[in-house]
Amino acid sequence: MLHLERINRVYRFSIHETSWSRASGAADHCLAYKLYGRTVHIHDGREYVHDQDSVMIVGKDDLYRVVSHDPEDAGARGGCIAVHFETVEPFDLPMACVGVASDPHIKSGFFRLLDAWNRLQRGGGASDEYACAALFYDILARTLAIGESGAAETARSLADVRAYMERNYADSALSMEELAGMARLSVRRFGEQFRRRYHITPGRFLTALRIGAAEKLLENGELRVSDVAALCGYAGAGYFIRAFRREMGVTPETYRAERLRK
């Protein structure tokens, strides 16, 4: 559980650069609500898109590169509201960008937190200090709830896609674009999420399904290699033979002969 030690700063700002790097750790952690524009971050080889109506969670040790930033239309008014804070225990939330348009209380919470913070800086009392803490916890709780819900939905989608691949590996027209669309993810994001969950890329998983099925069919001894290829989702025998040899170290015919001798 996250325990807030202090809020160091709450402010609204604009970004006028197009790319930059956070090459060293910061003194505190940050939550930032994107009001306008779009910023793409790269952290540990993964892309994080901070666009309108999303909250970015950044720990003080999260280092990243910004590879693109679209100037916001209302940039003069400030494209983000950011909250810099410290925690009692080590901050264990992973870097994330969470789309929060479904909960308008988060956006209004950032504005209310900014107002409470400004009152506190002008000499406000304990009520403003407590308001800042309460609003911070509410924003964080609502953001994490949406993030967890999204993660659960993605897990269900990936499981459905995996089951679909197991049932339809023999379809030679099956593509990563189709599978990613079923998961409602981009092809790149689908590949990342699938590998993170199942420790194998979707392409490698599909190949494993097809080659595994081919092994069983070849052991039958009655089907031609071209027939096995077609039944396992390969559009041509040549492509199947190359794929089988790459995975198994021998050609389909050699594999069959070795199995039949046993």
Side-chain angles (χ1 to χ4, degrees), residues 30-33 50 53-58 93-94 96-103 105-107 109-110 135-151:
C30 178
L31 294 181
Y33 188 98
H50 192 203
D53 295 320
S54 69
V55 173
M56 186 172 181
I57 302 172
V58 185
L93 294 177
C97 289
V98 182
V100 297
S102 60
D103 187 349
H105 288 92
I106 295 176
K107 182 176 183 178
F110 269 90
L135 288 164
F136 170 86
Y137 278 120
D138 185 62
I139 287 169
L140 184 61
R142 289 176 179 273
T143 299
L144 293 179
I146 292 175
E148 290 167 359
S149 175

PDB file of all heavy atoms in Angstrom, residues 30-33 50 53-58 93-94 96-103 105-107 109-110 135-151:
ATOM      1  N   CYS A  30       5.899  11.171  -9.691  1.00  0.00           N
ATOM      2  CA  CYS A  30       5.025  12.127 -10.379  1.00  0.00           C
ATOM      3  C   CYS A  30       3.769  11.442 -10.925  1.00  0.00           C
ATOM      4  O   CYS A  30       3.829  10.311 -11.431  1.00  0.00           O
ATOM      5  CB  CYS A  30       5.792  12.789 -11.529  1.00  0.00           C
ATOM      6  SG  CYS A  30       4.820  13.955 -12.498  1.00  0.00           S
ATOM      7  N   LEU A  31       2.645  12.134 -10.819  1.00  0.00           N
ATOM      8  CA  LEU A  31       1.419  11.828 -11.550  1.00  0.00           C
ATOM      9  C   LEU A  31       1.157  13.019 -12.451  1.00  0.00           C
ATOM     10  O   LEU A  31       1.238  14.164 -12.000  1.00  0.00           O
ATOM     11  CB  LEU A  31       0.222  11.656 -10.614  1.00  0.00           C
ATOM     12  CG  LEU A  31       0.196  10.491  -9.635  1.00  0.00           C
ATOM     13  CD1 LEU A  31      -1.102  10.534  -8.832  1.00  0.00           C
ATOM     14  CD2 LEU A  31       0.295   9.170 -10.370  1.00  0.00           C
ATOM     15  N   ALA A  32       0.827  12.775 -13.707  1.00  0.00           N
ATOM     16  CA  ALA A  32       0.569  13.883 -14.631  1.00  0.00           C
ATOM     17  C   ALA A  32      -0.682  13.594 -15.451  1.00  0.00           C
ATOM     18  O   ALA A  32      -0.799  12.519 -16.050  1.00  0.00           O
ATOM     19  CB  ALA A  32       1.760  14.113 -15.552  1.00  0.00           C
ATOM     20  N   TYR A  33      -1.589  14.558 -15.473  1.00  0.00           N
ATOM     21  CA  TYR A  33      -2.814  14.432 -16.266  1.00  0.00           C
ATOM     22  C   TYR A  33      -2.630  15.211 -17.562  1.00  0.00           C
ATOM     23  O   TYR A  33      -2.276  16.392 -17.546  1.00  0.00           O
ATOM     24  CB  TYR A  33      -4.012  14.990 -15.499  1.00  0.00           C
ATOM     25  CG  TYR A  33      -5.336  14.705 -16.181  1.00  0.00           C
ATOM     26  CD1 TYR A  33      -6.120  13.644 -15.778  1.00  0.00           C
ATOM     27  CD2 TYR A  33      -5.798  15.495 -17.242  1.00  0.00           C
ATOM     28  CE1 TYR A  33      -7.330  13.361 -16.403  1.00  0.00           C
ATOM     29  CE2 TYR A  33      -6.991  15.221 -17.876  1.00  0.00           C
ATOM     30  CZ  TYR A  33      -7.755  14.158 -17.453  1.00  0.00           C
ATOM     31  OH  TYR A  33      -8.953  13.883 -18.083  1.00  0.00           O
ATOM     32  N   HIS A  50       1.369   9.078 -23.768  1.00  0.00           N
ATOM     33  CA  HIS A  50       0.649   9.956 -22.840  1.00  0.00           C
ATOM     34  C   HIS A  50      -0.142  10.947 -23.686  1.00  0.00           C
ATOM     35  O   HIS A  50       0.396  11.918 -24.202  1.00  0.00           O
ATOM     36  CB  HIS A  50       1.661  10.692 -21.951  1.00  0.00           C
ATOM     37  CG  HIS A  50       1.044  11.399 -20.790  1.00  0.00           C
ATOM     38  ND1 HIS A  50       1.650  12.467 -20.162  1.00  0.00           N
ATOM     39  CD2 HIS A  50      -0.125  11.209 -20.129  1.00  0.00           C
ATOM     40  CE1 HIS A  50       0.895  12.882 -19.173  1.00  0.00           C
ATOM     41  NE2 HIS A  50      -0.190  12.132 -19.142  1.00  0.00           N
ATOM     42  N   ASP A  53      -6.463  13.128 -21.797  1.00  0.00           N
ATOM     43  CA  ASP A  53      -7.280  12.409 -20.817  1.00  0.00           C
ATOM     44  C   ASP A  53      -6.644  11.097 -20.384  1.00  0.00           C
ATOM     45  O   ASP A  53      -7.326  10.079 -20.212  1.00  0.00           O
ATOM     46  CB  ASP A  53      -8.700  12.172 -21.344  1.00  0.00           C
ATOM     47  CG  ASP A  53      -9.470  13.479 -21.534  1.00  0.00           C
ATOM     48  OD1 ASP A  53      -9.331  14.368 -20.675  1.00  0.00           O
ATOM     49  OD2 ASP A  53     -10.177  13.604 -22.538  1.00  0.00           O
ATOM     50  N   SER A  54      -5.334  11.123 -20.214  1.00  0.00           N
ATOM     51  CA  SER A  54      -4.642   9.980 -19.624  1.00  0.00           C
ATOM     52  C   SER A  54      -3.761  10.468 -18.485  1.00  0.00           C
ATOM     53  O   SER A  54      -3.362  11.639 -18.451  1.00  0.00           O
ATOM     54  CB  SER A  54      -3.802   9.231 -20.662  1.00  0.00           C
ATOM     55  OG  SER A  54      -2.699   9.995 -21.082  1.00  0.00           O
ATOM     56  N   VAL A  55      -3.510   9.580 -17.541  1.00  0.00           N
ATOM     57  CA  VAL A  55      -2.646   9.877 -16.403  1.00  0.00           C
ATOM     58  C   VAL A  55      -1.368   9.067 -16.547  1.00  0.00           C
ATOM     59  O   VAL A  55      -1.409   7.852 -16.775  1.00  0.00           O
ATOM     60  CB  VAL A  55      -3.329   9.539 -15.069  1.00  0.00           C
ATOM     61  CG1 VAL A  55      -2.346   9.696 -13.905  1.00  0.00           C
ATOM     62  CG2 VAL A  55      -4.542  10.433 -14.846  1.00  0.00           C
ATOM     63  N   MET A  56      -0.254   9.738 -16.415  1.00  0.00           N
ATOM     64  CA  MET A  56       1.043   9.070 -16.458  1.00  0.00           C
ATOM     65  C   MET A  56       1.575   8.938 -15.040  1.00  0.00           C
ATOM     66  O   MET A  56       1.576   9.893 -14.260  1.00  0.00           O
ATOM     67  CB  MET A  56       2.021   9.870 -17.316  1.00  0.00           C
ATOM     68  CG  MET A  56       3.348   9.174 -17.544  1.00  0.00           C
ATOM     69  SD  MET A  56       4.350  10.078 -18.761  1.00  0.00           S
ATOM     70  CE  MET A  56       5.787   9.022 -18.821  1.00  0.00           C
ATOM     71  N   ILE A  57       1.994   7.715 -14.692  1.00  0.00           N
ATOM     72  CA  ILE A  57       2.573   7.425 -13.382  1.00  0.00           C
ATOM     73  C   ILE A  57       4.067   7.200 -13.578  1.00  0.00           C
ATOM     74  O   ILE A  57       4.469   6.331 -14.351  1.00  0.00           O
ATOM     75  CB  ILE A  57       1.936   6.173 -12.762  1.00  0.00           C
ATOM     76  CG1 ILE A  57       0.417   6.345 -12.634  1.00  0.00           C
ATOM     77  CG2 ILE A  57       2.569   5.857 -11.411  1.00  0.00           C
ATOM     78  CD1 ILE A  57      -0.311   5.079 -12.219  1.00  0.00           C
ATOM     79  N   VAL A  58       4.886   7.988 -12.900  1.00  0.00           N
ATOM     80  CA  VAL A  58       6.332   7.907 -13.082  1.00  0.00           C
ATOM     81  C   VAL A  58       7.015   7.873 -11.719  1.00  0.00           C
ATOM     82  O   VAL A  58       6.820   8.783 -10.905  1.00  0.00           O
ATOM     83  CB  VAL A  58       6.873   9.106 -13.888  1.00  0.00           C
ATOM     84  CG1 VAL A  58       8.358   8.923 -14.173  1.00  0.00           C
ATOM     85  CG2 VAL A  58       6.100   9.302 -15.178  1.00  0.00           C
ATOM     86  N   LEU A  93       5.066   1.154  -7.835  1.00  0.00           N
ATOM     87  CA  LEU A  93       4.169   1.148  -8.978  1.00  0.00           C
ATOM     88  C   LEU A  93       4.977   1.252 -10.266  1.00  0.00           C
ATOM     89  O   LEU A  93       5.873   2.087 -10.374  1.00  0.00           O
ATOM     90  CB  LEU A  93       3.183   2.320  -8.904  1.00  0.00           C
ATOM     91  CG  LEU A  93       2.175   2.281  -7.758  1.00  0.00           C
ATOM     92  CD1 LEU A  93       1.309   3.541  -7.777  1.00  0.00           C
ATOM     93  CD2 LEU A  93       1.301   1.051  -7.850  1.00  0.00           C
ATOM     94  N   PRO A  94       4.699   0.407 -11.243  1.00  0.00           N
ATOM     95  CA  PRO A  94       5.433   0.503 -12.511  1.00  0.00           C
ATOM     96  C   PRO A  94       5.016   1.733 -13.294  1.00  0.00           C
ATOM     97  O   PRO A  94       3.892   2.238 -13.155  1.00  0.00           O
ATOM     98  CB  PRO A  94       5.012  -0.781 -13.243  1.00  0.00           C
ATOM     99  CG  PRO A  94       3.660  -1.091 -12.697  1.00  0.00           C
ATOM    100  CD  PRO A  94       3.691  -0.666 -11.258  1.00  0.00           C
ATOM    101  N   ALA A  96       3.464   3.850 -16.045  1.00  0.00           N
ATOM    102  CA  ALA A  96       2.259   3.521 -16.813  1.00  0.00           C
ATOM    103  C   ALA A  96       1.613   4.787 -17.335  1.00  0.00           C
ATOM    104  O   ALA A  96       1.795   5.879 -16.784  1.00  0.00           O
ATOM    105  CB  ALA A  96       1.266   2.760 -15.943  1.00  0.00           C
ATOM    106  N   CYS A  97       0.862   4.633 -18.429  1.00  0.00           N
ATOM    107  CA  CYS A  97      -0.024   5.671 -18.938  1.00  0.00           C
ATOM    108  C   CYS A  97      -1.417   5.053 -18.998  1.00  0.00           C
ATOM    109  O   CYS A  97      -1.631   4.072 -19.708  1.00  0.00           O
ATOM    110  CB  CYS A  97       0.408   6.153 -20.320  1.00  0.00           C
ATOM    111  SG  CYS A  97       1.921   7.128 -20.327  1.00  0.00           S
ATOM    112  N   VAL A  98      -2.334   5.612 -18.238  1.00  0.00           N
ATOM    113  CA  VAL A  98      -3.669   5.032 -18.097  1.00  0.00           C
ATOM    114  C   VAL A  98      -4.702   5.998 -18.664  1.00  0.00           C
ATOM    115  O   VAL A  98      -4.806   7.149 -18.203  1.00  0.00           O
ATOM    116  CB  VAL A  98      -3.989   4.738 -16.614  1.00  0.00           C
ATOM    117  CG1 VAL A  98      -5.361   4.086 -16.483  1.00  0.00           C
ATOM    118  CG2 VAL A  98      -2.909   3.858 -15.996  1.00  0.00           C
ATOM    119  N   GLY A  99      -5.455   5.555 -19.643  1.00  0.00           N
ATOM    120  CA  GLY A  99      -6.535   6.369 -20.169  1.00  0.00           C
ATOM    121  C   GLY A  99      -7.678   6.439 -19.172  1.00  0.00           C
ATOM    122  O   GLY A  99      -8.207   5.407 -18.753  1.00  0.00           O
ATOM    123  N   VAL A 100      -8.064   7.654 -18.764  1.00  0.00           N
ATOM    124  CA  VAL A 100      -9.032   7.803 -17.674  1.00  0.00           C
ATOM    125  C   VAL A 100     -10.257   8.614 -18.082  1.00  0.00           C
ATOM    126  O   VAL A 100     -10.988   9.107 -17.226  1.00  0.00           O
ATOM    127  CB  VAL A 100      -8.362   8.456 -16.437  1.00  0.00           C
ATOM    128  CG1 VAL A 100      -7.265   7.561 -15.887  1.00  0.00           C
ATOM    129  CG2 VAL A 100      -7.790   9.835 -16.780  1.00  0.00           C
ATOM    130  N   ALA A 101     -10.501   8.728 -19.387  1.00  0.00           N
ATOM    131  CA  ALA A 101     -11.649   9.523 -19.843  1.00  0.00           C
ATOM    132  C   ALA A 101     -12.962   8.977 -19.309  1.00  0.00           C
ATOM    133  O   ALA A 101     -13.947   9.726 -19.192  1.00  0.00           O
ATOM    134  CB  ALA A 101     -11.677   9.552 -21.373  1.00  0.00           C
ATOM    135  N   SER A 102     -12.997   7.687 -18.961  1.00  0.00           N
ATOM    136  CA  SER A 102     -14.234   7.081 -18.464  1.00  0.00           C
ATOM    137  C   SER A 102     -14.608   7.565 -17.071  1.00  0.00           C
ATOM    138  O   SER A 102     -15.740   7.353 -16.627  1.00  0.00           O
ATOM    139  CB  SER A 102     -14.100   5.551 -18.447  1.00  0.00           C
ATOM    140  OG  SER A 102     -13.038   5.149 -17.598  1.00  0.00           O
ATOM    141  N   ASP A 103     -13.682   8.191 -16.359  1.00  0.00           N
ATOM    142  CA  ASP A 103     -13.961   8.687 -15.003  1.00  0.00           C
ATOM    143  C   ASP A 103     -13.651  10.176 -14.931  1.00  0.00           C
ATOM    144  O   ASP A 103     -12.520  10.574 -14.638  1.00  0.00           O
ATOM    145  CB  ASP A 103     -13.119   7.930 -13.978  1.00  0.00           C
ATOM    146  CG  ASP A 103     -13.486   8.282 -12.542  1.00  0.00           C
ATOM    147  OD1 ASP A 103     -14.239   9.257 -12.338  1.00  0.00           O
ATOM    148  OD2 ASP A 103     -13.020   7.583 -11.620  1.00  0.00           O
ATOM    149  N   HIS A 105     -14.207  12.246 -12.738  1.00  0.00           N
ATOM    150  CA  HIS A 105     -13.790  12.702 -11.410  1.00  0.00           C
ATOM    151  C   HIS A 105     -12.270  12.851 -11.325  1.00  0.00           C
ATOM    152  O   HIS A 105     -11.767  13.625 -10.508  1.00  0.00           O
ATOM    153  CB  HIS A 105     -14.274  11.723 -10.341  1.00  0.00           C
ATOM    154  CG  HIS A 105     -15.750  11.764 -10.098  1.00  0.00           C
ATOM    155  ND1 HIS A 105     -16.629  10.945 -10.755  1.00  0.00           N
ATOM    156  CD2 HIS A 105     -16.497  12.552  -9.280  1.00  0.00           C
ATOM    157  CE1 HIS A 105     -17.854  11.199 -10.352  1.00  0.00           C
ATOM    158  NE2 HIS A 105     -17.812  12.172  -9.466  1.00  0.00           N
ATOM    159  N   ILE A 106     -11.544  12.097 -12.131  1.00  0.00           N
ATOM    160  CA  ILE A 106     -10.085  12.193 -12.083  1.00  0.00           C
ATOM    161  C   ILE A 106      -9.628  13.544 -12.613  1.00  0.00           C
ATOM    162  O   ILE A 106      -8.791  14.222 -11.990  1.00  0.00           O
ATOM    163  CB  ILE A 106      -9.450  11.028 -12.863  1.00  0.00           C
ATOM    164  CG1 ILE A 106      -9.783   9.699 -12.180  1.00  0.00           C
ATOM    165  CG2 ILE A 106      -7.933  11.210 -12.972  1.00  0.00           C
ATOM    166  CD1 ILE A 106      -9.291   8.476 -12.914  1.00  0.00           C
ATOM    167  N   LYS A 107     -10.179  13.959 -13.740  1.00  0.00           N
ATOM    168  CA  LYS A 107      -9.809  15.264 -14.293  1.00  0.00           C
ATOM    169  C   LYS A 107     -10.174  16.384 -13.337  1.00  0.00           C
ATOM    170  O   LYS A 107      -9.351  17.266 -13.044  1.00  0.00           O
ATOM    171  CB  LYS A 107     -10.494  15.472 -15.645  1.00  0.00           C
ATOM    172  CG  LYS A 107     -10.121  16.785 -16.322  1.00  0.00           C
ATOM    173  CD  LYS A 107     -10.758  16.885 -17.701  1.00  0.00           C
ATOM    174  CE  LYS A 107     -10.344  18.165 -18.416  1.00  0.00           C
ATOM    175  NZ  LYS A 107     -10.927  18.233 -19.787  1.00  0.00           N
ATOM    176  N   GLY A 109     -10.567  16.126 -10.233  1.00  0.00           N
ATOM    177  CA  GLY A 109      -9.741  15.984  -9.040  1.00  0.00           C
ATOM    178  C   GLY A 109      -8.395  16.663  -9.190  1.00  0.00           C
ATOM    179  O   GLY A 109      -7.887  17.291  -8.248  1.00  0.00           O
ATOM    180  N   PHE A 110      -7.790  16.570 -10.385  1.00  0.00           N
ATOM    181  CA  PHE A 110      -6.523  17.258 -10.619  1.00  0.00           C
ATOM    182  C   PHE A 110      -6.699  18.778 -10.510  1.00  0.00           C
ATOM    183  O   PHE A 110      -5.855  19.472  -9.916  1.00  0.00           O
ATOM    184  CB  PHE A 110      -5.956  16.886 -11.988  1.00  0.00           C
ATOM    185  CG  PHE A 110      -5.036  15.700 -11.969  1.00  0.00           C
ATOM    186  CD1 PHE A 110      -5.544  14.420 -12.141  1.00  0.00           C
ATOM    187  CD2 PHE A 110      -3.677  15.852 -11.766  1.00  0.00           C
ATOM    188  CE1 PHE A 110      -4.705  13.313 -12.125  1.00  0.00           C
ATOM    189  CE2 PHE A 110      -2.831  14.764 -11.755  1.00  0.00           C
ATOM    190  CZ  PHE A 110      -3.341  13.474 -11.931  1.00  0.00           C
ATOM    191  N   LEU A 135      -7.408  14.437  -1.985  1.00  0.00           N
ATOM    192  CA  LEU A 135      -7.583  14.466  -3.429  1.00  0.00           C
ATOM    193  C   LEU A 135      -6.528  13.615  -4.130  1.00  0.00           C
ATOM    194  O   LEU A 135      -6.822  12.922  -5.110  1.00  0.00           O
ATOM    195  CB  LEU A 135      -7.528  15.906  -3.937  1.00  0.00           C
ATOM    196  CG  LEU A 135      -8.749  16.754  -3.601  1.00  0.00           C
ATOM    197  CD1 LEU A 135      -8.439  18.248  -3.783  1.00  0.00           C
ATOM    198  CD2 LEU A 135      -9.934  16.350  -4.481  1.00  0.00           C
ATOM    199  N   PHE A 136      -5.297  13.647  -3.628  1.00  0.00           N
ATOM    200  CA  PHE A 136      -4.232  12.819  -4.197  1.00  0.00           C
ATOM    201  C   PHE A 136      -4.594  11.341  -4.123  1.00  0.00           C
ATOM    202  O   PHE A 136      -4.501  10.610  -5.108  1.00  0.00           O
ATOM    203  CB  PHE A 136      -2.915  13.080  -3.461  1.00  0.00           C
ATOM    204  CG  PHE A 136      -1.821  12.107  -3.830  1.00  0.00           C
ATOM    205  CD1 PHE A 136      -1.016  12.332  -4.933  1.00  0.00           C
ATOM    206  CD2 PHE A 136      -1.622  10.953  -3.085  1.00  0.00           C
ATOM    207  CE1 PHE A 136      -0.024  11.427  -5.289  1.00  0.00           C
ATOM    208  CE2 PHE A 136      -0.628  10.046  -3.426  1.00  0.00           C
ATOM    209  CZ  PHE A 136       0.174  10.280  -4.529  1.00  0.00           C
ATOM    210  N   TYR A 137      -5.001  10.884  -2.930  1.00  0.00           N
ATOM    211  CA  TYR A 137      -5.344   9.473  -2.763  1.00  0.00           C
ATOM    212  C   TYR A 137      -6.527   9.076  -3.651  1.00  0.00           C
ATOM    213  O   TYR A 137      -6.552   7.983  -4.224  1.00  0.00           O
ATOM    214  CB  TYR A 137      -5.676   9.176  -1.296  1.00  0.00           C
ATOM    215  CG  TYR A 137      -4.461   8.957  -0.428  1.00  0.00           C
ATOM    216  CD1 TYR A 137      -4.204   9.779   0.668  1.00  0.00           C
ATOM    217  CD2 TYR A 137      -3.574   7.914  -0.689  1.00  0.00           C
ATOM    218  CE1 TYR A 137      -3.098   9.577   1.477  1.00  0.00           C
ATOM    219  CE2 TYR A 137      -2.457   7.698   0.115  1.00  0.00           C
ATOM    220  CZ  TYR A 137      -2.217   8.536   1.203  1.00  0.00           C
ATOM    221  OH  TYR A 137      -1.116   8.327   1.989  1.00  0.00           O
ATOM    222  N   ASP A 138      -7.505   9.962  -3.784  1.00  0.00           N
ATOM    223  CA  ASP A 138      -8.668   9.657  -4.617  1.00  0.00           C
ATOM    224  C   ASP A 138      -8.262   9.536  -6.085  1.00  0.00           C
ATOM    225  O   ASP A 138      -8.696   8.601  -6.778  1.00  0.00           O
ATOM    226  CB  ASP A 138      -9.727  10.760  -4.452  1.00  0.00           C
ATOM    227  CG  ASP A 138     -11.004  10.425  -5.210  1.00  0.00           C
ATOM    228  OD1 ASP A 138     -11.646   9.416  -4.883  1.00  0.00           O
ATOM    229  OD2 ASP A 138     -11.352  11.181  -6.142  1.00  0.00           O
ATOM    230  N   ILE A 139      -7.429  10.467  -6.547  1.00  0.00           N
ATOM    231  CA  ILE A 139      -6.949  10.416  -7.937  1.00  0.00           C
ATOM    232  C   ILE A 139      -6.190   9.122  -8.190  1.00  0.00           C
ATOM    233  O   ILE A 139      -6.420   8.421  -9.181  1.00  0.00           O
ATOM    234  CB  ILE A 139      -6.041  11.636  -8.228  1.00  0.00           C
ATOM    235  CG1 ILE A 139      -6.876  12.908  -8.342  1.00  0.00           C
ATOM    236  CG2 ILE A 139      -5.213  11.409  -9.495  1.00  0.00           C
ATOM    237  CD1 ILE A 139      -6.032  14.179  -8.356  1.00  0.00           C
ATOM    238  N   LEU A 140      -5.279   8.795  -7.292  1.00  0.00           N
ATOM    239  CA  LEU A 140      -4.452   7.600  -7.480  1.00  0.00           C
ATOM    240  C   LEU A 140      -5.309   6.334  -7.448  1.00  0.00           C
ATOM    241  O   LEU A 140      -5.143   5.442  -8.283  1.00  0.00           O
ATOM    242  CB  LEU A 140      -3.369   7.540  -6.410  1.00  0.00           C
ATOM    243  CG  LEU A 140      -2.371   6.382  -6.535  1.00  0.00           C
ATOM    244  CD1 LEU A 140      -1.604   6.468  -7.845  1.00  0.00           C
ATOM    245  CD2 LEU A 140      -1.405   6.376  -5.354  1.00  0.00           C
ATOM    246  N   ALA A 141      -6.235   6.254  -6.495  1.00  0.00           N
ATOM    247  CA  ALA A 141      -7.078   5.064  -6.374  1.00  0.00           C
ATOM    248  C   ALA A 141      -7.932   4.875  -7.625  1.00  0.00           C
ATOM    249  O   ALA A 141      -8.058   3.760  -8.149  1.00  0.00           O
ATOM    250  CB  ALA A 141      -7.971   5.176  -5.144  1.00  0.00           C
ATOM    251  N   ARG A 142      -8.514   5.962  -8.128  1.00  0.00           N
ATOM    252  CA  ARG A 142      -9.358   5.864  -9.320  1.00  0.00           C
ATOM    253  C   ARG A 142      -8.533   5.481 -10.554  1.00  0.00           C
ATOM    254  O   ARG A 142      -8.966   4.673 -11.376  1.00  0.00           O
ATOM    255  CB  ARG A 142     -10.084   7.187  -9.562  1.00  0.00           C
ATOM    256  CG  ARG A 142     -11.185   7.495  -8.555  1.00  0.00           C
ATOM    257  CD  ARG A 142     -11.782   8.875  -8.801  1.00  0.00           C
ATOM    258  NE  ARG A 142     -12.848   9.190  -7.869  1.00  0.00           N
ATOM    259  CZ  ARG A 142     -14.136   8.865  -8.049  1.00  0.00           C
ATOM    260  NH1 ARG A 142     -14.503   8.230  -9.161  1.00  0.00           N
ATOM    261  NH2 ARG A 142     -15.043   9.188  -7.166  1.00  0.00           N
ATOM    262  N   THR A 143      -7.332   6.046 -10.664  1.00  0.00           N
ATOM    263  CA  THR A 143      -6.470   5.733 -11.804  1.00  0.00           C
ATOM    264  C   THR A 143      -6.037   4.280 -11.779  1.00  0.00           C
ATOM    265  O   THR A 143      -6.085   3.576 -12.796  1.00  0.00           O
ATOM    266  CB  THR A 143      -5.234   6.646 -11.798  1.00  0.00           C
ATOM    267  OG1 THR A 143      -5.647   8.015 -11.912  1.00  0.00           O
ATOM    268  CG2 THR A 143      -4.296   6.317 -12.953  1.00  0.00           C
ATOM    269  N   LEU A 144      -5.629   3.782 -10.606  1.00  0.00           N
ATOM    270  CA  LEU A 144      -5.191   2.394 -10.493  1.00  0.00           C
ATOM    271  C   LEU A 144      -6.344   1.431 -10.741  1.00  0.00           C
ATOM    272  O   LEU A 144      -6.149   0.360 -11.330  1.00  0.00           O
ATOM    273  CB  LEU A 144      -4.581   2.143  -9.110  1.00  0.00           C
ATOM    274  CG  LEU A 144      -3.263   2.873  -8.826  1.00  0.00           C
ATOM    275  CD1 LEU A 144      -2.778   2.552  -7.418  1.00  0.00           C
ATOM    276  CD2 LEU A 144      -2.188   2.511  -9.846  1.00  0.00           C
ATOM    277  N   ALA A 145      -7.546   1.797 -10.313  1.00  0.00           N
ATOM    278  CA  ALA A 145      -8.706   0.932 -10.546  1.00  0.00           C
ATOM    279  C   ALA A 145      -8.965   0.767 -12.040  1.00  0.00           C
ATOM    280  O   ALA A 145      -9.243  -0.334 -12.526  1.00  0.00           O
ATOM    281  CB  ALA A 145      -9.939   1.505  -9.857  1.00  0.00           C
ATOM    282  N   ILE A 146      -8.856   1.874 -12.783  1.00  0.00           N
ATOM    283  CA  ILE A 146      -9.039   1.789 -14.232  1.00  0.00           C
ATOM    284  C   ILE A 146      -7.924   0.969 -14.861  1.00  0.00           C
ATOM    285  O   ILE A 146      -8.150   0.134 -15.745  1.00  0.00           O
ATOM    286  CB  ILE A 146      -9.088   3.198 -14.851  1.00  0.00           C
ATOM    287  CG1 ILE A 146     -10.370   3.919 -14.414  1.00  0.00           C
ATOM    288  CG2 ILE A 146      -9.018   3.135 -16.377  1.00  0.00           C
ATOM    289  CD1 ILE A 146     -10.454   5.359 -14.873  1.00  0.00           C
ATOM    290  N   GLY A 147      -6.687   1.189 -14.405  1.00  0.00           N
ATOM    291  CA  GLY A 147      -5.553   0.436 -14.940  1.00  0.00           C
ATOM    292  C   GLY A 147      -5.686  -1.053 -14.688  1.00  0.00           C
ATOM    293  O   GLY A 147      -5.419  -1.870 -15.577  1.00  0.00           O
ATOM    294  N   GLU A 148      -6.122  -1.425 -13.487  1.00  0.00           N
ATOM    295  CA  GLU A 148      -6.288  -2.841 -13.161  1.00  0.00           C
ATOM    296  C   GLU A 148      -7.421  -3.455 -13.966  1.00  0.00           C
ATOM    297  O   GLU A 148      -7.326  -4.609 -14.415  1.00  0.00           O
ATOM    298  CB  GLU A 148      -6.542  -2.992 -11.662  1.00  0.00           C
ATOM    299  CG  GLU A 148      -5.313  -2.684 -10.817  1.00  0.00           C
ATOM    300  CD  GLU A 148      -5.628  -2.527  -9.346  1.00  0.00           C
ATOM    301  OE1 GLU A 148      -6.825  -2.651  -8.985  1.00  0.00           O
ATOM    302  OE2 GLU A 148      -4.701  -2.267  -8.564  1.00  0.00           O
ATOM    303  N   SER A 149      -8.499  -2.698 -14.148  1.00  0.00           N
ATOM    304  CA  SER A 149      -9.615  -3.184 -14.956  1.00  0.00           C
ATOM    305  C   SER A 149      -9.174  -3.410 -16.396  1.00  0.00           C
ATOM    306  O   SER A 149      -9.513  -4.424 -17.024  1.00  0.00           O
ATOM    307  CB  SER A 149     -10.773  -2.182 -14.914  1.00  0.00           C
ATOM    308  OG  SER A 149     -11.810  -2.574 -15.777  1.00  0.00           O
ATOM    309  N   GLY A 150      -8.380  -2.455 -16.925  1.00  0.00           N
ATOM    310  CA  GLY A 150      -7.871  -2.594 -18.283  1.00  0.00           C
ATOM    311  C   GLY A 150      -6.942  -3.779 -18.419  1.00  0.00           C
ATOM    312  O   GLY A 150      -6.979  -4.503 -19.422  1.00  0.00           O
ATOM    313  N   ALA A 151      -6.105  -4.010 -17.394  1.00  0.00           N
ATOM    314  CA  ALA A 151      -5.184  -5.142 -17.429  1.00  0.00           C
ATOM    315  C   ALA A 151      -5.949  -6.462 -17.415  1.00  0.00           C
ATOM    316  O   ALA A 151      -5.588  -7.411 -18.114  1.00  0.00           O
ATOM    317  CB  ALA A 151      -4.226  -5.078 -16.238  1.00  0.00           C
TER     318      ALA A 151
END
